[in-house]
Amino acid sequence: QVQLVESGGGLVQAGDSLMLSCAASGRTFSSYAMGWFRQAPGKEREFVSGISRSGGSTYYTDSVKGRFTISRDNAKNTVYLQMNSLKPEDTAVYYCTATLGYYARDPKGVGSWGQGAQVTVSS
């Protein structure tokens, strides 16, 4: 299992930008597809974005398309989520995930989870 540590969460105003980072332990980072989920209070955990092992393929849920960008640096064992034009409905705990092979869109298929980073967007 890979260990994941998120950073970069915080409190911002609507329209602001924020970047989340997720550092992974181990020497096999490039074997894992990476993803970001989020969970708002009272709601189910939602898949937000995923990126393939090489970074050549990405996926975004409809609500964040055009605003969020996922990227990875395999040399630094780190995946990023750049969030622009943030909205109050983006408020949630954001979780970094790692899955061998292809990124999982279902929480049940995720291999490893980070501890979560709180993102709060005020109106």
Side-chain angles (χ1 to χ4, degrees):
Q1 294 289 336
V2 62
Q3 305 298 317
L4 305 172
V5 179
E6 298 103 333
S7 61
L11 171 64
V12 297
Q13 293 187 332
D16 285 351
S17 298
L18 206 58
M19 176 178 272
L20 299 179
S21 299
C22 173
S25 64
R27 294 178 289 179
T28 59
F29 180 70
S30 60
S31 298
Y32 292 86
M34 304 298 292
W36 291 93
F37 283 72
R38 67 185 180 187
Q39 188 166 21
K43 294 188 177 181
E44 294 186 350
R45 198 163 292 192
E46 171 192 28
F47 179 66
V48 175
S49 182
I51 188 166
S52 62
R53 290 170 292 174
S54 68
S57 174
T58 58
Y59 173 88
Y60 301 94
T61 194
D62 285 346
S63 61
V64 307
K65 282 181 181 176
R67 299 189 298 121
F68 289 13
T69 302
I70 190 171
S71 61
R72 66 187 295 161
D73 186 336
N74 285 349
K76 296 183 178 180
N77 284 11
T78 302
V79 62
Y80 307 95
L81 186 67
Q82 176 66 44
M83 303 182 292
N84 297 331
S85 302
L86 282 162
K87 304 176 181 180
E89 50 263 44
D90 295 319
T91 296
V93 177
Y94 284 71
Y95 296 91
C96 176
T97 65
T99 307
L100 284 172
Y102 205 67
Y103 49 79
R105 300 185 193 181
D106 186 332
K108 297 177 183 177
V110 170
S112 299
W113 294 87
Q115 83 285 358
Q118 177 69 49
V119 172
T120 303
V121 184
S122 63
S123 57

